Amino acid sequence: MVEVIVTGGAGFIGSNFVHHVVAERPQWHVTVLDKLTYAGNLQNLSGLPEDRVAFVHGDIADADLVDSLVAKADAVVHYAAESHNDNSLQNPRPFIDTNLIGTYTLLEAVRRHGVRFHHISTDEVYGDLELDDPNRFTEHTAYNPSSPYSSTKAGSDLLVRAWIRSFGVQATISNCSNNYGPYQHIEKFIPRQITNVLSGIRPKLYGTGLNVRDWIHTNDHSSAVLTVLEEGRIGETYLIGANGEKNNKTVIELILELMGKNPHDFDHVNDRPGHDMRYAIDSTKLRTELGWQPTFTDFRSGLADTIDWYSTHREWWQAQKDEVEERYARVGQ
Ligand code: NAD
Ligand code: TDX
């Protein structure tokens, strides 16, 4: 049996990975370590067999707790983070505590116990591209983060690299583009707009809406992470992306169209300070070296399924809707 700790496994992407591992690796046992912040939800793990998945409620910055769990593990897959750029602009402190101190705490534990570590990160560490730049991000692009969120993720990546080089920690890093799919918190762009329409609120587009994000279905992110965990070369970084570049205005119009509304029925609201213009991933290394391929290549049908999920799971998001919208309204978004 292989014992894997998944930090942040009650969040959007971490819980998807737990479901993926349970389905794909019958011999593995998963321990989820999650603080259950506003973004964590145990319902994301419902339906999983109790003999395959254990849940530990705790903080990745709690050194004693982390040490006791890591001592019994074969691998740690590290998803836990404060993950929302807009929140980091209002209150950066939790991003320092979790993304930097929390990652440091895990690295010290895997160093002590010689445990394999995989660090989940983001394409935002590279800053942004111009709309007409023919280049995309690669593993060699220089770090240039813009927000408190992306700078703490960049810092956590650099800690991992230093622990690999200085202490010989057996680690890999993956930097993925924007994920979409079920169970994403409704503060994020796509679920916010879907749940706005379902609540009779007009979708909200920041600034011009010409900003481009490179969308990947979260199931494809999970299959890529499992590939890197098992096949990736120690010490290496792999970029994960599915050639899904779309500007925000196009995505809002598509959501409205798929929900049977007038595609022009949205509001332009205040732009995000420091708003990155464009992200675009070149995932050639992952595809050629490890043979990974995405399976959700039709964004329109993936988005339609996601709309269907939020429409049929109101009980999952309804209680948080007013508070999320009040928070945005305070900053004119
Ligand atoms: P999320 O906000 O939905 O989930 C984060 C989870 O981490 C929650 O369950 C939360 O309770 C937990 N958590 C937060 N602080 C913790 C702490 N101190 N100790 C233990 N648990 C804690 O985030 P997500 O969108 O699922 O992102 C997961 C990871 O993937 C993050 O590292 C993020 O940077 C990265 N990532 C996200 C995207 C994206 O599009 N959402 C893209 C690339 C990379
Ligand atoms: O209401 C909105 N209107 C809007 O136009 C919201 C919430 C967002 N936006 C824009 C901002 C971005 O250009 O949509 C785009 C996507 O916004 P987010 O969902 O906040 O994602 P982003 O800032 O791109 O970061 C996401 O992808 C990379 C995740 O939240 C990060 O965790 C991940 O690292």
Side-chain angles (χ1 to χ4, degrees):
M1 195 191 68
V2 176
E3 170 66 25
V4 180
I5 296 172
V6 177
T7 73
F12 164 47
I13 310 180
S15 63
N16 186 282
F17 181 73
V18 174
H19 283 275
H20 185 71
V21 165
V22 167
E24 298 293 324
R25 295 291 176 271
Q27 303 306 320
W28 292 19
H29 180 267
V30 178
T31 297
V32 170
L33 171 60
D34 198 295
K35 190 178 172 182
L36 296 179
T37 67
Y38 77 96
N41 188 340
L42 278 179
Q43 287 177 51
N44 301 1
L45 296 168
S46 68
L48 290 167
E50 279 177 23
D51 60 336
R52 303 283 314 283
V53 181
F55 180 76
V56 176
H57 185 201
D59 192 327
I60 56 164
D62 178 340
D64 291 340
L65 174 64
V66 164
D67 191 82
S68 68
L69 295 173
V70 170
K72 294 175 280 185
D74 300 295
V76 176
V77 185
H78 174 34
Y79 286 91
E82 285 292 333
S83 68
H84 194 36
N85 276 299
D86 291 321
N87 295 342
S88 81
L89 296 164
Q90 302 304 317
N91 179 19
R93 180 62 203 234
F95 292 74
I96 306 288
D97 293 336
T98 290
N99 301 359
L100 289 171
I101 306 292
T103 302
Y104 156 77
T105 306
L106 290 162
L107 283 168
E108 283 293 80
V110 296
R111 167 156 90 107
R112 257 192 309 276
H113 297 288
V115 168
R116 171 86 171 86
F117 188 71
H118 180 70
H119 179 61
I120 304 297
S121 193
T122 168
D123 58 1
E124 298 194 20
V125 299
Y126 299 114
D128 60 353
L129 298 162
E130 298 293 336
L131 291 180
D132 60 358
D133 192 330
N135 297 307
R136 295 183 289 167
F137 299 138
T138 74
E139 289 77 5
H140 302 293
T141 305
Y143 274 40
N144 187 27
S146 310
S147 73
Y149 163 68
S150 54
S151 63
T152 56
K153 290 299 291 187
S156 68
D157 293 12
L158 298 182
L159 292 175
V160 178
R161 290 184 182 194
W163 262 243
I164 293 167
R165 177 158 173 168
S166 300
F167 303 124
V169 161
Q170 301 286 294
T172 42
I173 299 173
S174 55
N175 297 76
C176 188
S177 60
N178 283 62
N179 285 220
Y180 75 99
Y183 297 100
Q184 185 166 31
H185 194 278
I186 58 167
E187 69 189 353
K188 303 295 195 315
F189 176 58
I190 286 179
R192 183 183 182 206
Q193 313 315 331
I194 296 170
T195 56
N196 275 354
V197 175
L198 291 171
S199 307
I201 302 169
R202 285 162 68 92
K204 310 291 182 208
L205 186 66
Y206 294 176
T208 61
L210 297 182
N211 310 65
V212 169
R213 295 295 180 266
D214 189 354
W215 294 100
I216 181 173
H217 195 282
T218 187
N219 288 11
D220 282 334
H221 188 183
S222 291
S223 69
V225 168
L226 187 56
T227 302
V228 176
L229 180 66
E230 294 187 308
E231 318 278 348
R233 280 184 291 140
I234 297 300
E236 293 291 312
T237 290
Y238 295 88
L239 264 55
I240 303 173
N243 300 333
E245 282 188 70
K246 304 240 164 347
N247 77 37
N248 295 337
K249 185 164 173 286
T250 307
V251 174
I252 280 207
E253 288 168 351
L254 185 55
I255 290 170
L256 281 160
E257 183 210 317
L258 289 168
M259 296 183 78
K261 306 289 180 195
N262 180 338
H264 306 296
D265 271 354
F266 62 85
D267 294 331
H268 286 273
V269 294
N270 287 343
D271 207 352
R272 173 185 286 171
H275 195 175
D276 282 339
M277 185 49 81
R278 172 175 163 236
Y279 306 137
I281 288 265
D282 178 347
S283 58
T284 303
K285 179 178 175 182
L286 175 64
R287 291 170 192 245
T288 55
E289 200 179 286
L290 305 183
W292 173 85
Q293 293 285 344
T295 55
F296 287 77
T297 45
D298 181 350
F299 181 71
R300 190 187 170 91
S301 84
L303 188 61
D305 288 349
T306 305
I307 290 169
D308 195 41
W309 189 85
Y310 283 93
S311 309
T312 53
H313 290 78
R314 269 182 179 269
E315 77 294 346
W316 186 86
W317 56 266
Q318 186 77 69
Q320 285 179 311
K321 187 64 183 168
D322 288 350
E323 195 268 327
V324 167
E325 290 308 312
E326 278 159 24
R327 208 153 21 99
Y328 278 122
R330 284 200 284 277
V331 290
Q333 291 180 327

